[in-house]
Amino acid sequence: YQPSVSKIIHKGSILKRLKQGAKFLKENPLIFHFGVGSYAIFAMLLVHIHQLLPIYIHNHLSESSAIYAGAKVLYALGALLSGIGIRWLFKKTSTVKAITILMIFSVIAFEITAFTQSSIIIILVSLILGLTNAGARILRVTYLFNHVPNHIIGRTGSVFQTINVFIRFSFITLFSLTFFTEDHNITWAYFICGLFIFISIFPLLIYY
């Protein structure tokens, strides 16, 4: 047996591998812009689920934990439906365009959350975010596998993940300020999350 393509195996420290991923992305800026921009939904969704949602339900809606549980269930359902049908739904649409559409829906979902005060709305928004987040991640990973060589994709993934962690850390720190836990001010956090995703759309639109 002779392999048709020789495997390229890089060995070295974590820092060296991270530099290899950064070097590849520097040489391929379009993939870098796509990878960072398309990660915005995932970053904001984690902040929403783990930090903002409980405060929103308690302070803004004055509801019980049942609403929180219902929102989580609907989010899981949305993610499941997205996993089953997202490729079929966008089978005639380019990946970048499909992710852009999902990001726009996410912006709308966050802004609706910021400007309304309804338990039903927050549950439906969780369903939408489940659909858009899971769908964007499926399409994003597929796109990267098709455009990044196999021996370097783990390194590029580390670069994207590092940037994503930094973004989440920054927003979690911001929303930990006392201002966002007073009265109904948590709605400003949702407005900011929607605005961040909206800004992240621009690189995709420009290069698409």
Side-chain angles (χ1 to χ4, degrees):
Y1 167 74
Q2 293 293 331
S4 57
V5 179
S6 299
K7 292 183 179 180
I8 303 175
I9 301 175
H10 293 295
K11 296 181 179 180
S13 65
I14 294 175
L15 182 60
K16 183 177 180 180
R17 297 179 188 185
L18 197 62
K19 287 181 179 179
Q20 289 171 344
K23 180 182 178 182
F24 175 84
L25 293 173
K26 185 177 180 181
E27 295 170 352
N28 298 272
L30 293 182
I31 295 178
F32 174 77
H33 291 303
F34 170 81
V36 174
S38 59
Y39 233 164
I41 301 178
F42 177 61
M44 294 303 96
L45 180 105
L46 288 180
V47 175
H48 154 70
I49 286 289
H50 298 297
Q51 183 182 19
L52 304 184
L53 186 58
I55 302 172
Y56 183 90
I57 291 173
H58 183 269
N59 291 4
H60 186 59
L61 300 182
S62 298
E63 292 286 356
S64 68
S65 58
I67 300 300
Y68 177 75
K72 297 270 285 198
V73 169
L74 266 292
Y75 165 75
L77 177 62
L80 179 63
L81 292 175
S82 186
I84 294 172
I86 198 69
R87 296 293 298 276
W88 173 81
L89 183 63
F90 290 111
K91 62 182 178 181
K92 295 183 179 180
T93 307
S94 70
T95 302
V96 178
K97 186 175 181 180
I99 291 177
T100 303
I101 293 171
L102 292 174
M103 291 177 74
I104 291 172
F105 274 106
S106 296
V107 171
I108 294 171
F110 273 108
E111 298 308 325
I112 288 175
T113 304
F115 292 102
T116 58
Q117 191 174 5
S118 169
S119 301
I120 296 176
I121 291 295
I122 191 62
I123 290 176
L124 292 177
V125 162
S126 294
L127 174 67
I128 293 171
L129 291 176
L131 286 164
T132 57
N133 174 61
R137 293 190 73 187
I138 292 168
L139 296 172
R140 178 183 181 278
V141 170
T142 303
Y143 184 90
L144 291 176
F145 270 117
N146 288 332
H147 290 81
V148 181
N150 199 48
H151 68 278
I152 203 72
I153 193 166
R155 277 73 169 163
T156 58
S158 297
V159 174
F160 292 137
Q161 185 65 16
T162 300
I163 294 172
N164 186 262
V165 168
F166 175 76
I167 291 171
R168 280 164 24 211
F169 175 79
S170 300
F171 277 100
I172 288 171
T173 302
L174 173 63
F175 297 146
S176 295
L177 296 175
T178 306
F179 170 80
F180 293 101
T181 59
E182 295 177 342
D183 298 325
H184 298 271
N185 291 343
I186 193 65
T187 55
W188 284 104
Y190 278 92
F191 175 78
I192 293 170
C193 286
L195 182 63
F196 175 75
I197 297 175
F198 179 73
I199 293 172
S200 299
I201 292 174
F202 280 92
L204 300 183
L205 291 176
I206 292 170
Y207 294 111
Y208 171 73

